Amino acid sequence: MESVRLSDEQRFYLQVMYDYFREQGKWPFYRDVKQMVLEVYPEVDVDEIVKDLPDGLSKPYGAYLFGVPGYTSEATFLTVLGVYLCQGS
């Protein structure tokens, strides 16, 4: 398998979604993931982290309806490869 290069922030973003799913049995909302990432990396732009993720790991940035009120209430998700890259998977 070809290695996937991720920044610490990108890896953390994926891990937050994975951990939430493991604990809650459902995928978290984007707003919740964003808040959890900002608690650890307050200086980052979470939207940019998502935009810069390699394809095929999670819900693509363009799939969120950012122009529609309430877009942050949309659920996130990881693909099989995205889960594979997380600790504890």
Side-chain angles (χ1 to χ4, degrees):
M1 175 185 292
E2 187 177 318
S3 72
V4 177
R5 292 181 179 247
L6 298 172
S7 69
D8 290 342
E9 293 88 354
Q10 289 172 323
R11 191 167 298 282
F12 186 73
Y13 173 80
L14 298 178
Q15 191 69 47
V16 164
M17 285 188 284
Y18 175 75
D19 291 344
Y20 186 97
F21 182 78
R22 290 275 312 234
E23 292 171 12
Q24 304 296 324
K26 61 183 178 178
W27 294 110
F29 292 125
Y30 185 80
R31 69 171 180 262
D32 298 328
V33 175
K34 191 172 188 173
Q35 182 60 39
M36 288 182 265
V37 171
L38 289 173
E39 287 173 9
V40 175
Y41 295 101
E43 72 286 350
V44 302
D45 182 340
V46 178
D47 293 344
E48 286 300 318
I49 290 172
V50 179
K51 286 179 188 177
D52 293 340
L53 275 174
D55 291 337
L57 300 181
S58 69
K59 184 174 184 176
Y61 182 79
Y64 291 99
L65 302 173
F66 291 110
V68 177
Y71 79 88
T72 59
S73 295
E74 290 187 59
T76 60
F77 63 81
L78 295 175
T79 64
V80 172
L81 178 57
V83 169
Y84 173 78
L85 295 173
C86 294
Q87 290 182 342
S89 65

